[in-house]
Amino acid sequence: MTATSLGRPFTVVSLLPRLLDTNGDAGNARVLAQRMRWSGHDARVVDVHSRSDLPEQIDAVSIGSGTDAALLPARDGLRALVEELRVWSNSGVPILAVGTGWELLSWGIDLADGSVLEGLGLVAGHAVPRSIRATDDIIVASKYGRLIGFENHARDYVGAEASPLGRVVYGTGNGDAATGPRIEGLTMGEVFCTHLHGPVLARNPGLADHLLLAAFNRHGLAYSRGFLAASVDAIAQSARNNAAVRLGQSAE
């Protein structure tokens, strides 16, 4: 591996992976680091469970999804890092938040018992209960390519209409819109939030590469997909096509 012009490895942080990895979403951090290595740069993943685990330099952030039993400790763990999260989001550090991790960055989570768990208030909108849990494949048309994953959430998300990740082709996404197209996810600068599990970056390397472009651009470096990524990306495309055809959509 060649050294980066940073004089250090790229550092991808996985926040609270003991609490927020129910669907294997902490694996998104490993996807980013591996694609950095395939591009010819050294990279590492740092699991952060508390402020004391934070590395000095951070180039990308991954936040996974968790169970409702872990909502309060996960919220409190992220709240302890809210100033860092605010600085990262304002300075263009790419941040991916999935499921519960996304909900905890929002204004808050309306719970089924009528109570509200206050969020960090870093992204617009909030989560509200669904009458029936959404558990199915999901296809999203986005400017990062067609995204395919699996959704598993008991809450809809309202307030993201101005900045969605994409338009739902199949599945539920942020919820059943009364009018207009259904949408999925939320974007704010280089902060990306989604219901897609898989992990989403393993199944959709185009989105991973957008996050990496942002990480490299912050340091004046050019990112290019490495040669070793080509065969892996072909497998991911085949998996997406198989899912799409099964769901009545065309292959790409």
Side-chain angles (χ1 to χ4, degrees), residues 169-180:
V169 175
Y170 180 96
T172 300
N174 291 4
D176 297 323
T179 60

Side-chain angles (χ1 to χ4, degrees), residues 5-239:
S5 62
L6 302 177
R8 60 172 176 83
F10 275 94
T11 300
V12 181
V13 161
S14 176
L15 294 186
L16 308 184
R18 292 174 187 155
L19 296 173
L20 298 175
D21 190 25
T22 300
N23 296 284
D25 300 305
N28 286 310
R30 295 191 292 275
V31 172
L32 289 173
Q34 186 59 62
R35 295 184 77 81
M36 287 170 168
R37 297 184 193 107
W38 285 338
S39 75
H41 300 271
D42 197 5
R44 62 175 181 154
V45 174
V46 176
D47 291 344
V48 170
H49 307 288
S50 67
R51 288 180 60 86
S52 62
D53 297 325
L54 284 172
E56 185 175 346
Q57 303 289 337
I58 293 172
D59 301 299
V61 178
S62 171
I63 310 171
S65 189
T67 65
D68 278 8
L71 275 177
L72 186 57
R75 192 279 308 275
D76 290 346
L78 291 175
R79 179 178 278 174
L81 301 167
V82 66
E83 291 307 318
E84 285 80 5
L85 282 161
R86 185 172 288 112
V87 169
W88 298 334
S89 63
N90 289 337
S91 60
V93 173
I95 299 174
L96 175 70
V98 179
T100 308
W102 165 22
E103 294 177 344
L104 292 171
L105 296 186
S106 77
W107 298 334
I109 301 173
D110 295 357
L111 300 174
D113 63 5
S115 63
V116 177
L117 181 71
E118 183 181 0
L120 274 64
L122 296 177
V123 298
H126 64 285
V128 298
R130 288 183 55 79
S131 58
I132 300 174
R133 189 177 191 90
T135 53
D136 202 352
D137 296 287
I138 179 170
I139 301 176
V140 178
S142 84
K143 66 179 183 180
Y144 314 103
R146 184 168 68 178
L147 307 177
I148 297 182
F150 184 81
E151 56 184 337
N152 177 17
H153 53 101
R155 287 178 288 270
D156 286 339
Y157 195 92
V158 297
E161 288 78 5
S163 53
L165 176 62
R167 175 179 57 84
V168 175
V169 175
Y170 180 96
T172 300
N174 291 4
D176 297 323
T179 60
R182 288 174 296 156
I183 62 172
E184 156 57 19
L186 177 152
T187 63
M188 184 187 75
E190 297 302 338
V191 178
F192 293 82
C193 303
T194 184
H195 291 105
L196 272 70
H197 305 293
V200 61
L201 298 186
R203 297 186 72 175
N204 302 279
L207 179 58
D209 282 347
H210 177 82
L211 296 173
L212 293 173
L213 279 168
F216 277 56
N217 285 342
R218 290 184 68 243
H219 300 292
L221 298 173
Y223 170 76
S224 60
R225 186 184 72 160
F227 173 77
L228 291 175
S231 60
V232 174
D233 292 358
I235 295 171
Q237 181 174 352
S238 176

